[in-house]
Amino acid sequence: MPGKVPLLLLSLLSWFGTSHCCLQDPASAYRFTGAVCRLTYPAAVVLNEKTTKVIEAAFQHARYPSMKGEKSLLFIGKVMYGLDNLEIHNLSIGQSAFELHPGEGIAMEISNVSAVFKGSIQYGYGSWLVNFGHSVDFEIDSQIDLGINPKLYCGDGKVAADTADCYLNFHKLRLHLQGDKEPNWLKKLFTDFITLTVKLVIKGQICKEINKAANILADFIQDTAEQFLTDGDISVDIGIAAAPVITANYIESYHKGLTKYNNKVAVINESVFQPSHLTEDRMIYFWISDQFLNPMLKAAHQDGRFQLNVSGEELTTLLRTNLSTAMPELIRKCLLDSASPELRLWSSSVPHLNSSTSGTTVWVQASGQLHCEGQGTPVLFFQTDMAVDITTSYVNKKVLLQGHPTEISAFRAELPLQDQQSCCQTTRQTLCFKNFNHC
């Protein structure tokens, strides 16, 4: 059923940048797909407000070339005329509507576009009896319906829109010459000339500007997405793996999601995406493959991103909670007598992530050192295996990640200053203090 949509729809799917090639069959690209974006019909309706802004920009920024012509008239001779300095004023946009055509493209109609075109006409006419030249300013009142049938395709590795199928229907086209005192035959001649100019030249410029505006939006969205996914030496190739798919209810695009780090590019060839993984209940969906996320975690680990320093009251509270035995004296003195004790934590193995319908679980080996002020050697060193369940929620227009530890198993703990070591197995937050003195 037709509804409202912005031209931004043409470029929203370009959130996922550039690539090298695209497969013709989307189904064959599923196993190479790291991320999927599904934009449903209701989302396109909500984005309608942006349509008029894009159309207004297309009309305002279009550059209309000067046009010249000539015609021979009985008794008058040759009439030469030119159209110069064409500008647009008093632009107003009515409404826009769209339909998704499965397997084809998008049909868009922008109706009741009112505008006043202003410019000047240079003309001259003469015969063996008279030779006369003149210039007159003019205005054209117009009312236009604009239609665009863009086709989405894979262009240079990104989602691109071909807006060649663009047309203008003029429901009103009224010429006003300055003072309106020119001869009727001259006004009629110019009316025909202006009509032809508007229908051919202005149409071409407007459609060209719409295509340009769509590309600018697509480039902006693409650049924003690339910047968001780039940090230091870590970046992601998020070019599309296949041309977008259009159904009656959504537009879906498929993106590679290849992590790049230290001149190495990850490989995705066993992605498990299927269209049935996503529904149409919400406005927009992003499906992310584990093969997309795990290389990112590996790159972040290798780049030293998973580090945390805990100090102050937060550290004191952490190490006094859920201890199964008395705290070793050396640690107690460090926390109570040292001015600035600090616990330094980092990932000591590459994290591994696995997603399911109930959430996402991350397994990682973490190491920690407790440092006291003025001591180069840590008071405590430990290593643990951890499993954390991560869930997401959407609150107040923000995506929130929440971690819930399901397993913490300490397999190594040392007091370097006392040359003591423990190999005990514990769970949760005991940090291997249990049976510490029995190793």
Side-chain angles (χ1 to χ4, degrees):
M1 184 175 184
K4 307 218 176 173
V5 68
L7 190 65
L8 184 61
L9 175 63
L10 306 183
S11 52
L12 181 61
L13 295 175
S14 295
W15 269 27
F16 294 100
T18 52
S19 179
H20 300 292
C21 62
C22 296
L23 298 177
Q24 295 299 316
D25 178 23
S28 65
Y30 292 161
R31 67 189 186 97
F32 303 108
T33 297
V36 177
C37 174
R38 176 176 288 186
L39 183 72
T40 62
Y41 194 96
V45 174
V46 171
L47 292 173
N48 174 66
E49 294 180 1
K50 301 299 181 182
T51 299
T52 55
K53 300 299 182 182
V54 175
I55 299 303
E56 286 178 4
F59 274 86
Q60 297 285 4
H61 291 90
R63 295 295 177 261
Y64 306 99
S66 297
M67 293 292 294
K68 298 184 183 299
E70 63 179 46
K71 189 171 183 178
S72 296
L73 298 177
L74 186 63
F75 303 117
I76 300 297
K78 183 180 295 185
V79 178
M80 295 168 290
Y81 45 85
L83 173 66
D84 300 297
N85 305 318
L86 187 61
E87 297 178 348
I88 191 168
H89 298 267
N90 302 330
L91 176 67
S92 66
I93 307 293
Q95 62 182 3
S96 62
F98 84 106
E99 287 184 346
L100 298 180
H101 291 171
E104 296 182 8
I106 308 168
M108 302 180 62
E109 293 184 0
I110 296 88
S111 58
N112 298 324
V113 179
S114 299
V116 175
F117 294 92
K118 294 183 179 182
S120 60
I121 296 177
Q122 312 290 333
Y123 66 94
Y125 56 91
S127 65
W128 62 277
L129 293 175
V130 62
N131 194 351
F132 181 73
H134 194 52
S135 175
V136 61
D137 294 334
F138 69 88
E139 291 185 0
I140 309 169
D141 292 332
S142 65
Q143 185 169 331
I144 307 168
D145 287 344
L146 172 65
I148 314 171
N149 296 309
K151 309 295 183 183
L152 299 182
Y153 67 99
C154 175
D156 295 329
K158 66 179 181 180
V159 176
D162 178 6
T163 61
D165 189 1
C166 171
Y167 59 90
L168 276 70
N169 289 330
F170 295 89
H171 299 288
K172 174 183 176 183
L173 192 63
R174 185 174 301 163
L175 173 66
H176 301 281
L177 297 179
Q178 186 182 42
D180 217 17
K181 297 179 181 179
E182 302 302 323
N184 288 336
W185 66 266
L186 187 61
K187 182 175 181 180
K188 184 178 186 307
L189 174 65
F190 290 158
T191 298
D192 294 339
F193 169 57
I194 295 299
T195 300
L196 180 64
T197 301
V198 170
K199 289 185 177 180
L200 296 179
V201 179
I202 296 181
K203 168 189 175 297
Q205 296 302 114
I206 293 297
C207 292
K208 183 187 299 182
E209 197 64 32
I210 288 174
N211 188 69
K212 179 180 177 181
N215 289 333
I216 290 175
L217 283 172
D219 290 342
F220 171 76
I221 295 172
Q222 171 183 311
D223 292 343
T224 301
E226 289 179 347
Q227 292 173 7
F228 178 77
L229 293 173
T230 299
D231 188 62
D233 295 329
I234 303 174
S235 61
V236 179
D237 174 6
I238 40 180
I240 62 175
V245 167
I246 297 178
T247 72
N249 300 318
Y250 62 81
I251 303 175
E252 190 167 82
S253 57
Y254 313 98
H255 309 276
K256 292 189 173 182
L258 304 179
T259 299
K260 297 185 288 187
Y261 178 69
N262 281 347
N263 297 320
K264 295 182 179 179
V265 181
V267 176
I268 295 179
N269 53 22
E270 296 180 357
S271 179
V272 296
F273 173 76
Q274 292 294 327
S276 59
H277 291 163
L278 301 178
T279 66
E280 303 169 17
D281 301 328
R282 300 182 182 274
M283 291 187 176
I284 190 168
Y285 291 87
F286 292 102
W287 181 91
I288 307 296
S289 170
D290 289 353
Q291 286 195 310
F292 179 1
L293 296 174
N294 277 312
M296 292 185 67
L297 293 177
K298 180 179 180 180
H301 166 75
Q302 294 175 341
D303 205 49
R305 302 299 183 91
F306 298 131
Q307 299 185 26
L308 176 66
N309 295 338
V310 184
S311 58
E313 183 178 351
E314 183 181 4
L315 173 61
T316 303
T317 301
L318 174 65
L319 293 183
R320 284 180 174 175
T321 303
N322 295 334
L323 297 181
S324 57
T325 61
M327 182 184 298
E329 182 64 19
L330 197 62
I331 297 177
R332 189 191 68 79
K333 291 182 61 177
C334 176
L335 295 176
L336 297 180
D337 300 340
S338 177
S340 56
E342 183 179 63
L343 180 62
R344 302 172 186 175
L345 305 169
W346 66 94
S347 60
S348 49
S349 71
V350 176
H352 178 72
L353 174 148
N354 182 69
S355 299
S356 66
T357 55
S358 59
T360 300
T361 302
V362 178
W363 292 271
V364 65
Q365 182 183 104
S367 298
Q369 292 179 341
L370 178 62
H371 288 261
C372 299
E373 185 180 26
Q375 295 181 353
T377 303
V379 173
L380 171 67
F381 170 79
F382 60 89
Q383 289 183 303
T384 66
D385 286 328
M386 302 180 62
V388 180
D389 285 346
I390 300 175
T391 57
T392 61
S393 59
Y394 185 74
V395 180
N396 296 328
K397 298 182 179 181
K398 294 181 179 179
V399 177
L400 304 178
L401 300 179
Q402 294 179 318
H404 305 278
T406 58
E407 180 182 347
I408 302 178
S409 177
F411 62 88
R412 181 181 179 187
E414 299 176 357
L415 295 175
L417 295 178
Q418 294 185 355
D419 195 25
Q420 289 185 335
Q421 179 174 330
S422 171
C423 301
C424 53
Q425 297 290 330
T426 62
T427 59
R428 306 297 296 176
Q429 298 179 359
T430 61
L431 294 179
C432 226
F433 295 146
K434 183 178 181 180
N435 298 326
F436 192 91
N437 295 321
H438 295 281
C439 295

